[in-house]
Amino acid sequence: NAGVMQNPRHLVRRRGQEARLRCSPMKGHSHVYWYRQLPEEGLKFMVYLQKENIIDESGMPKERFSAEFPKEGPSILRIQQVVRGDSAAYFCASSPSSGANVLTFGAGSRLTVL
Amino acid sequence: GQNIDQPTEMTATEGAIVQINCTYQTSGFNGLFWYQQHAGEAPTFLSYNVLDGLEEKGRFSSFLSRSKGYSYLLLKELQMKDSASYLCAVRDKGTGANNLFFGTGTRLTVIP
């Protein structure tokens, strides 16, 4: 049973380009969460999604950032027109559909903006 | 909102015991979690407290006092591999049911 799979593990973009980060939750998990971790800082919640629905996006920047979790395929975090301040590790976590459960994290995608 | 505080760094000796404290403020407390994160890796779940008291799991124990907004993680018989960041996180009823809010983490260094 594979864990939470994130790709790419490392991504380098130039300012103004787009970054797409993908997350496949654990088998049987239908809740996905995205967190951002800046160097020397804690994990900051960005967005919480279920299949085809955004449940809570209170942590998402108002511009340039979007997330989706389609009926088929992985969840995608999309950052348009990246800036240097977007350089961070982006972690995805998933949990089962019922009850309140532990979040299982993926290994993260490290975005570097040149 | 949520406010979570924990020390930034701690150092302890191999074989010793260390206690990492966490204080929190949240409007709708619904559980406290501890995660371990080695540099460059995914956070991994250590413990969960929702009721007051001590939860023991091998060398690791976690304590919660809801009235004081306080938790600690206790690591016994420290090993070099325990050098990592330890993240305190709270779940809030007011947000998505499973959403967690994290502190900045405590970087523990175990020395010989």
Side-chain angles (χ1 to χ4, degrees), chain A residues 45-48 54-62, chain B residues 95 99 101:
Chain A
F45 167 73
M46 299 181 74
V47 62
Y48 162 35
I54 296 175
I55 306 303
D56 181 354
E57 57 181 349
S58 59
M60 287 280 271
K62 298 295 181 217
Chain B
T95 61
N99 195 4
F101 293 89

Side-chain angles (χ1 to χ4, degrees), chain A residues 34-48:
Chain A
W34 285 94
Y35 286 80
R36 176 165 62 177
Q37 188 173 42
L38 294 168
E40 307 302 321
E41 293 189 13
L43 288 161
K44 300 296 184 187
F45 167 73
M46 299 181 74
V47 62
Y48 162 35

